Amino acid sequence: MAATPDERDERIALLLDYENLAIGAREGLGVSPFDLGPVADALAVRGRVVARRAYADWSSFDEDRRLLARAQVELIDIPQRLGGSRKNAADIKMAVDAIEIAYERSWVTTFAIGTGDSDFTPLVHKLRELDKRVIGIGVASSTSRLLPPACDEFLYYDRLVDTTPPAPAPEPAAAPAVGKEEPSEPEDEEAVERLVTRTLSGLARRGDGPVLASRLKRAMLRQDPTFDEAEHGFRGFGELLRHLQERRIVALGEGSAHGDPEVSFPVDEPAEDDAFRLLAEVVGELARRDGTVPLSGLKDQVRKRRADFSEKTYGFASFLSFAKAARARGVVRMDWDERAGDWRLRPA
């Protein structure tokens, strides 16, 4: 019997060595508190997260605790005891729970282990020995070199999170006059486009076969369970995709089953070309004045020209990924400045 769509999805247990991640993100990226959202989105593309646990002495992470509770994460408290090692206690508890889940919950196919600590390398080896797939998650600056090669896949948090400061919020618009209908907000449609392109990009990067519409929608619902195309004026998901195809945001092809088309990005995307052209223009103007342009702060400069710019509209997870794509297309040149610790761009 063929597997149902849900049976084909990976079932993921997410276990976080939270103190390691939080300190690594704060010291290495200047991100505090730790934002679980990009991790959840990356895993949602890969399958269903059926367990979420984070291990720490939560008395040291009050704000983080509230955010994680809202994200439906089970908080495992490892209080600090006199004469004992809190770190070792948390590591041991997390390892014991992982092995217990592997033996007692056979339906869990994948473990996502959030840590940069090489002490977890034996755990990763054991889970793979038990025929479990292991996805590692860590901050680049605080991740041991021994850990990523031990995993089936490793996600650097640096590449998932956008650390570029947001552009200043625009001035609030005047309230509509009484008795007049409030106009619809274009941001609503843009949010749908970003969700579709971000999810499609993640599925396409996995390279494990064509992305069918049914698979795309399941992945979108894992990222946003409240998503409903009817709320955006479409009678079905297929109608939404056809609308996006008309706008040259996605391309549809014949799928393996009737009514379930294959979804991809258009081969020639005018909107994406315009975005790269905009980047080239901004880099060219700034380079005439300063020689080369640092990546940090560049997104704000682009947004001064186009306030609604977002690299996620074009399927890129971060502005750095967008800039690297521009370099690959010969739009700009880009080199790493070791002394400044930043990328520097110049016209191609």
Side-chain angles (χ1 to χ4, degrees), residues 197-249:
T197 54
R198 183 176 68 238
T199 308
L200 178 58
S201 178
L203 291 172
R205 281 199 300 272
R206 297 192 66 191
D208 54 357
V211 179
L212 300 179
S214 57
R215 183 184 176 201
L216 174 62
K217 184 170 183 181
R218 288 199 308 275
M220 288 170 59
L221 286 171
R222 288 195 291 262
Q223 294 186 64
D224 180 6
T226 67
F227 171 77
D228 183 354
E229 61 273 4
E231 291 296 318
H232 305 282
F234 299 98
R235 290 168 294 186
F237 190 61
E239 185 176 335
L240 168 61
L241 291 178
R242 288 191 293 275
H243 170 72
L244 296 179
Q245 179 178 233
E246 291 172 359
R247 300 195 61 223
R248 298 286 299 165
I249 292 172

Side-chain angles (χ1 to χ4, degrees), residues 211-213 245 250-257 259-264:
V211 179
L212 300 179
Q245 179 178 233
V250 301
L252 301 180
E254 185 176 350
S256 56
D260 194 9
E262 182 179 329
V263 189
S264 61

Side-chain angles (χ1 to χ4, degrees), residues 98-113:
I99 296 300
E100 180 185 34
I101 291 171
Y103 275 104
E104 295 188 356
R105 296 165 178 80
S106 59
W107 57 86
V108 173
T109 61
T110 303
F111 284 80
I113 306 296

Side-chain angles (χ1 to χ4, degrees), residues 127-200:
L127 290 172
R128 295 184 67 184
E129 186 180 319
L130 294 171
D131 197 27
K132 303 298 182 182
R133 187 166 181 266
V134 180
I135 301 173
I137 303 163
V139 179
S141 61
S142 60
T143 295
S144 167
R145 293 183 179 180
L146 298 175
L147 187 60
C151 302
D152 293 288
E153 181 180 6
F154 199 90
L155 305 177
Y156 281 110
Y157 185 70
D158 317 47
R159 300 174 185 173
L160 301 177
V161 67
D162 185 359
T163 56
T164 307
E171 292 294 325
V178 177
K180 292 186 178 180
E181 184 178 353
E182 185 175 351
S184 60
E185 305 225 359
E187 291 84 359
D188 187 53
E189 184 172 357
E190 291 171 5
V192 176
E193 293 174 4
R194 282 195 294 271
L195 178 60
V196 171
T197 54
R198 183 176 68 238
T199 308
L200 178 58

Side-chain angles (χ1 to χ4, degrees), residues 10 12 36 44 91 101 148 150 164 214 244 280 288 299 334:
E10 291 183 44
I12 303 171
L36 184 64
D91 291 0
I101 291 171
T164 307
S214 57
L244 296 179
R288 280 194 293 272
K299 185 174 180 178
M334 187 171 164

Side-chain angles (χ1 to χ4, degrees), residues 298-318:
L298 180 56
K299 185 174 180 178
D300 282 344
Q301 297 296 327
V302 173
R303 280 178 166 167
K304 287 179 181 178
R305 294 278 299 273
R306 186 188 296 172
D308 63 348
F309 172 83
S310 173
E311 68 281 352
K312 292 179 174 58
T313 301
Y314 312 102
F316 295 99
S318 67

Side-chain angles (χ1 to χ4, degrees), residues 264-294:
S264 61
F265 288 109
V267 175
D268 179 24
E269 303 174 64
E272 184 178 294
D273 291 342
D274 288 344
F276 286 131
R277 192 176 302 113
L278 173 63
L279 177 67
E281 290 173 359
V282 172
V283 169
E285 291 173 4
L286 295 174
R288 280 194 293 272
R289 185 182 66 197
D290 303 320
T292 59
V293 184

